[in-house]
Amino acid sequence: MLIRIAPHDRPERGPEREPSRGRVRRPARGPLRTWLRRAALGAAVLVLVPVLTAGIALRADYAGDYRDGTRTRGRDALWLGHAWVDGRKKDSDVDALAARLRGTGLRDLYVHAGPLEDDGTLPPARYAGAKWLIGAVHRELPGVRVQAWLGDQLATESPDGLDLTRAASRTAVVGSARAIIDAGFEGTHFDLEPLHSGDRDYLALLDRLRTLTRARGVLLSVASHQIDPLPALHTVVGALSGHPKYWSQAYFGEVARRVDQIAVMSYDTALPLQSLYGGYVAEQTALAVEVTPESTDVLMGLPFYHETKPGHLASAETVAAAVRGVRLGLGRKDRDREHFGVALYVDFAATDADWTAYRKGWS
């Protein structure tokens, strides 16, 4: 236990005085103290200079004019909560959703039908309302596809969760996807986290899922981590924190080549200003389209939620800033790309202002 001495209990220690002159003598700094001061200054420079440089770069990425053609391609998506398949939603809710989506570029709905069990299985009771929802959406929104959003925590950073290193777990996930397709869903959308860059077991799972979805004529879609904005940053962050936040661009490309759609979770960035966040989204957009095959849809996530928490500042991560970043990044890298869109996260937290910003800026 650390025992602290109250200020009034500390012995008085005034400045030392020279006996003959009575002048105040400042304690000698000494070589150790001088070295520590210089080391602290050097450390501050090493931290601040890269941060300031990155901030200037992101702000520059947020500047400029839009290029022609950087609007919706009619390939956008919306994440929907579990209430749509567990009996809480009714026909009137589908009518309201349809009214909200008409006139936008929404083509896919990712409906939460999980989560998966930690062994990879999926109880059918979790998506009991699937048949009703799919029929209602097809009736009110012809051409809009309903995909099953399946997720689970991975056992990559703790002993709990889905362990993809086990062949039996991967086989069970494929079986769950097969059951979802049998239930009438037009695709399987997987969000498995935390998923470390370079995970080969995940790629092996995607290979098996792609064989299944191609044979059944449905979509294979995934949510992805953000792309490393600097070479090997994911390695450094992982070593320091034990939680690698980013995928390398090369790994992102490997995943993108195995799926029909890849949705970048381009939010929860910890950036404090809209200009920095928007510039970051512009950079993420450019990095994503650079390594994704033309036949795969790249979807950039828009933050349709307002919870302020570590890693997410709602006042900075706005829909308007994200849309601007998407348009700038797309215009600079591949403005003629057809297989591109945005993905809205999430329906139950969205406000009218979010929908207005999406319509005004992108639709």
Side-chain angles (χ1 to χ4, degrees):
M1 179 180 292
L2 178 63
I3 300 176
R4 300 185 182 276
I5 300 175
H8 60 272
D9 292 330
R10 293 173 183 164
E12 292 292 337
R13 294 190 60 185
E16 299 179 10
R17 296 180 180 274
E18 294 183 8
S20 59
R21 297 184 180 180
R23 294 179 181 175
V24 175
R25 185 198 307 166
R26 294 179 181 175
R29 290 184 178 179
L32 177 59
R33 185 176 179 184
T34 300
W35 182 87
L36 289 174
R37 287 170 61 88
R38 290 176 178 174
L41 179 60
V45 170
L46 288 175
V47 171
L48 290 176
V49 169
V51 170
L52 290 174
T53 301
I56 292 170
L58 292 179
R59 185 62 185 85
D61 283 340
Y62 196 60
D65 298 325
Y66 297 134
R67 301 289 298 275
D68 292 339
T70 54
R71 291 278 190 176
T72 186
R73 281 92 164 108
R75 294 177 179 273
D76 304 334
L78 170 64
W79 278 284
L80 295 176
H82 200 79
W84 291 93
V85 291
D86 69 2
R88 283 178 283 171
K89 295 292 186 178
K90 308 299 179 185
D91 285 339
S92 59
D93 296 302
V94 177
D95 294 341
L97 178 65
R100 177 75 80 178
L101 300 187
R102 289 191 185 101
T104 71
L106 261 294
R107 187 182 185 187
D108 287 284
L109 301 177
Y110 301 144
V111 185
H112 191 262
L116 296 167
E117 294 290 307
D118 287 348
D119 63 359
T121 59
L122 180 65
R126 291 191 181 156
Y127 51 95
K131 183 177 181 180
W132 162 79
L133 176 64
I134 295 168
V137 169
H138 287 174
R139 182 180 66 251
E140 298 298 328
L141 291 165
V144 171
R145 300 174 297 200
V146 184
Q147 300 191 46
W149 167 15
L150 302 176
D152 192 21
Q153 175 181 319
L154 294 179
T156 50
E157 298 175 10
S158 75
D160 302 319
L162 176 62
D163 186 356
L164 293 183
T165 66
R166 299 181 65 250
S169 296
R170 299 196 300 272
T171 297
V173 173
V174 174
S176 297
R178 185 178 294 107
I180 280 292
I181 297 169
D182 290 341
F185 284 101
E186 296 156 287
T188 56
H189 175 79
F190 284 92
D191 176 17
L192 303 174
E193 304 178 50
L195 183 55
H196 295 179
S197 184
D199 190 316
R200 308 307 299 181
D201 295 308
Y202 181 60
L203 297 182
L205 173 62
L206 292 180
D207 288 336
R208 293 185 61 184
L209 288 169
R210 187 62 183 271
T211 298
L212 169 66
T213 55
R214 279 184 169 178
R216 300 293 296 271
V218 300
L219 298 168
L220 175 58
S221 173
V222 296
S224 85
H225 287 237
Q226 295 160 30
I227 303 172
D228 198 338
L230 296 172
L233 182 61
H234 65 282
T235 303
V236 175
V237 172
L240 294 176
S241 68
H243 174 64
K245 178 179 177 64
Y246 307 103
W247 286 356
S248 71
Q249 189 185 33
Y251 186 69
F252 182 94
E254 287 197 67
V255 174
R257 287 191 290 274
R258 289 169 163 83
V259 299
D260 300 300
Q261 297 176 330
I262 186 165
V264 184
M265 295 182 286
S266 42
Y267 34 75
D268 294 346
T269 64
L271 292 168
L273 300 173
Q274 289 190 46
S275 58
L276 299 181
Y277 172 62
Y280 181 81
V281 173
E283 181 187 40
Q284 288 289 303
T285 301
L287 290 171
V289 300
E290 194 171 61
V291 293
T292 302
E294 288 293 334
S295 59
T296 300
D297 287 345
V298 176
L299 304 175
M300 302 305 298
L302 302 185
F304 272 48
Y305 66 104
H306 303 271
E307 176 188 5
T308 294
K309 60 182 182 179
H312 176 76
L313 188 62
S315 61
E317 295 192 10
T318 66
V319 174
V323 168
R324 177 171 173 78
V326 167
R327 293 187 63 184
L328 290 171
L330 180 64
R332 292 167 186 153
K333 182 56 63 173
D334 191 358
R335 65 170 175 165
D336 296 323
R337 182 184 180 93
E338 181 61 27
H339 287 265
F340 186 87
V342 296
L344 322 178
Y345 180 84
V346 58
D347 75 302
F348 54 79
T351 65
D352 289 341
D354 295 330
W355 285 105
T356 298
Y358 162 66
R359 283 179 173 271
K360 182 178 179 180
W362 181 248
S363 297

